[in-house]
């Protein structure tokens, strides 16, 4: 038999749980379907198991999209403060780690339990382990699964992006969108470690494990955060952030001594400590292994006093703006999010409804809106989920 609902939400992740909750609160009969055996699996592993559930400084310019104004409306209708109030209502203790990032004191599971409790109170019918085999639309939507067929007036697509296929991420939302004629902005891994080859990798690989504060720049964005050398290239928050702005084949630059003028430092060190080895001087400002490697690869083997000003100026310029050409990224297997997705040009920014397909809504990571690192992606899931839940 066919079961009838007002709203079917596909994907019980952050966005789907929130949309289902809100639609249920409005008295809609809501079915929430997921192919996984557990809801909110990405919430559970997020923020190192503590879930960075929002950011106190959430503003629209921290989101990447072909239409940089698109996220504004949904973010204003359900804000970070609204989500914080919900977390408080459920008595979940939290703290700010850094840069406005809010984490649970206890565990990410508390956020999933909160969302499930809200869904249950709102009468949402949650069914897991359902594989969707077909989605069609006539006067209503028909959703065929391996556990029966469902019909609904509204369909909310919340099956996420392509990141972490090992956890069940699929291109399902993009496939359904294409079927209904919605355009897609080419997806790419975002918030992802960068890989290098050639001499850059030769320099980086022995430094695996070394971390330091930098400013990483790609495109028009600059991120003053920590960087980490890995055996394949670079990672750490500064690099993950810059990766979302990096264009394949393009350059990026790293300031290895943020807030300092490396050239002035080196020239005055030459006068003050002429007998010192350059690596000893550099180790005053940089991690020792990096200092050693920079001196060995960019200076002749001389003491400071014997080095020409030109060589020191060249090294100073390099420390200030180390220009690198990444070979690529570590891909969806390591990407925290998916850039691109369903083109916002096809959606209402107020309701997340597809303007050309009455009753179809798209929310969360499936949409071409990608947040910075730091709780912004969950806030987009809550805000876009709320917008659709209000209208579906
Ligand atoms: P998802 O949460 O991915 O949910 C999609 C749901 O759809 C899943 O339950 C999935 O099982 C289901 N699904 C997929 N395909 C199908 C299908 N074909 N049929 C049925 N169901 C399907 N963001 C932050 O803001 N803060 C953090 O601390 C943070 N940490 C992260 C850590 C890691 C390791 C990763 C990978 C991501 C992290 N993110 C974080 C990003 C954040 O998890 C995502 O942006 C967010 O989960 C997107 O929500 P969503 O509901 O759109 O998609």
């Amino acid at each position: 038999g066919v079961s009838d609902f007002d709203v079917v939400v596909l994907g019980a992740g952050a966005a789907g749980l929130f949309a289902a909750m809100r639609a249920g609160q409005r008295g809609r009969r809501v079915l929430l379907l997921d192919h996984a055996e557990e809801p909110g699996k990405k919430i559970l592993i997020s923020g190192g198991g503590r879930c960075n559930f929002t950011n106190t400084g959430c503003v629209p310019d921290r989101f990447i999209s072909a239409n940089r104004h698109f996220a504004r409306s949904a973010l204003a209708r359900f804000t970070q403060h609204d989500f914080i109030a919900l977390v408080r209502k459920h008595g979940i203790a939290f703290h700010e780690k850094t840069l406005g990032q809010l984490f649970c004191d206890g565990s990410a599971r508390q956020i999933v339990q909160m969302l499930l409790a809200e869904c249950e109170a709102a009468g949402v019918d949650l069914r897991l382990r359902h594989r969707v085999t077909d989605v069609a639309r006539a006067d209503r939507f028909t959703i065929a699964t391996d556990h029966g067929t469902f019909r609904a007036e509204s369909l909310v697509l919340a099956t996420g992006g392509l990141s972490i296929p090992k956890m069940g991420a699929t291109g399902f939302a993009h496939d359904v969108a294409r079927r209904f004629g919605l355009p897609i902005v080419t997806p790419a891994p975002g918030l992802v470690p960068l890989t290098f080859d050639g001499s850059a990798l030769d320099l980086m690989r022995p430094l695996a494990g070394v971390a330091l504060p930098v400013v990483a720049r790609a495109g028009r964005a600059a991120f003053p955060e920590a960087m980490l050398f890995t055996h394949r290239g670079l990672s750490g928050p500064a690099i993950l952030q810059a990766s979302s702005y990096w264009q394949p084949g393009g350059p990026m630059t790293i300031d290895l001594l943020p807030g300092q003028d490396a050239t002035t430092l080196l020239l005055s060190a030459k006068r003050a400590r002429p007998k010192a080895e350059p690596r000893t001087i550099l180790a005053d400002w940089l991690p020792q292994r990096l200092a050693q490697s920079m001196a060995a690869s960019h200076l002749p083997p001389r003491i400071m006093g014997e080095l020409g000003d030109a060589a020191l100026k060249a090294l100073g310029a390099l420390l200030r703006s180390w220009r690198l050409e990444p070979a690529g990224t570590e891909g969806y297997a390591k990407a925290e999010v998916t850039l691109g997705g369903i083109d916002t040009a096809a959606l209402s920014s107020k309701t997340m409804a597809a303007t050309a397909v009455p009753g179809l809504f798209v929310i969360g990571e499936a949409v071409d809106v990608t947040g910075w690192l730091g709780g912004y992606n969950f806030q987009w899931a809550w805000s876009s989920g709320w917008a659709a839940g209000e209208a579906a």
Side-chain angles (χ1 to χ4, degrees):
V2 177
S3 320
D4 276 297
F5 289 87
D6 295 324
V7 181
V8 169
V9 180
L10 293 182
L17 284 160
F18 221 64
M21 170 198 90
R22 185 60 197 147
Q25 288 169 348
R26 288 173 46 239
R28 303 286 274 161
R29 289 170 308 149
V30 182
L31 174 66
L32 176 55
L33 292 177
D34 203 295
H35 65 178
E37 68 294 340
E38 194 179 8
K41 275 164 75 173
K42 266 193 195 164
I43 302 175
L44 292 174
I45 61 154
S46 70
R50 290 224 158 89
C51 186
N52 178 194
F53 55 79
T54 194
N55 194 295
T56 56
C58 188
V59 285
D61 68 6
R62 298 197 163 186
F63 295 83
I64 302 163
S65 170
N67 174 358
R68 61 195 182 86
H69 300 297
F70 183 82
R72 192 174 290 272
S73 171
L75 292 169
R77 289 153 63 85
F78 189 89
T79 69
Q80 64 271 35
H81 308 294
D82 296 321
F83 194 80
I84 293 165
L86 184 63
V87 169
R88 284 218 164 92
K89 184 184 121 189
H90 284 257
I92 299 171
F94 61 90
H95 60 278
E96 178 179 335
K97 199 165 164 191
T98 173
L99 302 169
Q101 302 168 7
L102 301 188
F103 288 75
C104 299
D105 289 356
S107 137
R109 191 164 289 280
Q110 295 174 285
I111 297 294
V112 175
Q113 279 163 353
M114 172 186 92
L115 297 170
L116 290 175
E118 289 287 342
C119 279
E120 198 182 330
V124 173
D125 187 345
L126 168 64
R127 302 196 199 175
L128 301 166
R129 294 193 177 89
H130 276 55
R131 208 169 57 80
V132 178
T133 53
D134 193 37
V135 176
R137 178 175 175 276
D139 57 325
R140 321 189 78 203
F141 288 93
T142 305
I143 299 99
T145 77
D146 57 352
H147 289 77
T149 300
F150 306 95
R151 248 192 338 234
E153 197 180 308
S154 296
L155 178 67
V156 182
L157 262 180
T159 51
L162 298 166
S163 345
I164 325 283
K166 218 170 60 189
M167 289 191 56
T170 64
F172 183 82
H174 303 165
D175 296 342
V176 173
R178 272 191 210 98
R179 271 195 73 163
F180 287 108
L182 306 188
I184 308 279
V185 175
T186 309
L191 299 179
V192 64
L194 295 173
T195 59
F196 292 82
D197 52 20
S199 57
L201 184 59
D202 292 341
L203 186 145
M204 291 168 186
R205 189 182 276 140
L207 296 173
V210 170
L212 73 161
V214 301
V215 179
R217 291 191 172 83
R220 56 191 166 75
F223 295 98
E225 287 187 66
M227 177 175 90
L228 173 72
F229 288 90
T230 74
H231 63 284
R232 298 185 61 192
L234 298 175
S235 187
I239 297 300
L240 298 181
Q241 298 277 37
S243 78
S244 294
Y245 289 85
W246 174 69
Q247 300 292 329
M252 66 177 302
T253 63
I254 315 276
D255 182 347
L256 291 165
L257 283 177
Q260 304 195 69
D261 181 351
T263 302
T264 308
L265 289 175
L266 285 166
L267 292 175
S268 44
K270 174 180 169 177
R271 286 192 301 274
R273 297 164 69 188
K275 297 230 165 62
E277 303 227 28
R279 65 174 193 194
T280 311
I281 298 296
L282 287 173
D284 282 349
W285 317 309
L286 294 173
Q288 199 168 349
R289 279 159 69 197
L290 178 60
Q292 191 166 342
S293 162
M294 281 292 168
S297 53
H298 297 285
L299 292 173
R302 306 250 160 74
I303 56 173
M304 287 300 285
E306 292 173 355
L307 288 168
D309 285 2
L312 292 174
K313 283 178 185 164
L315 179 58
L318 181 129
L319 294 176
R320 181 180 199 93
S321 186
W322 190 22
R323 192 176 186 281
L324 292 166
E325 284 181 8
T329 76
E330 294 205 10
Y332 290 115
K334 293 282 166 63
E336 210 170 291
V337 286
T338 303
L339 294 162
I342 294 161
D343 195 334
T344 60
L347 306 175
S348 152
S349 63
K350 213 173 149 192
T351 63
M352 308 305 293
T355 34
V357 189
L360 180 64
F361 297 78
V362 194
I363 57 175
E365 201 178 318
V367 179
D368 173 35
V369 172
T370 308
W372 283 12
L373 187 76
Y376 297 98
N377 285 295
F378 279 137
Q379 186 57 45
W380 171 245
W382 318 135
S383 296
S384 61
W386 180 271
E390 283 270 275

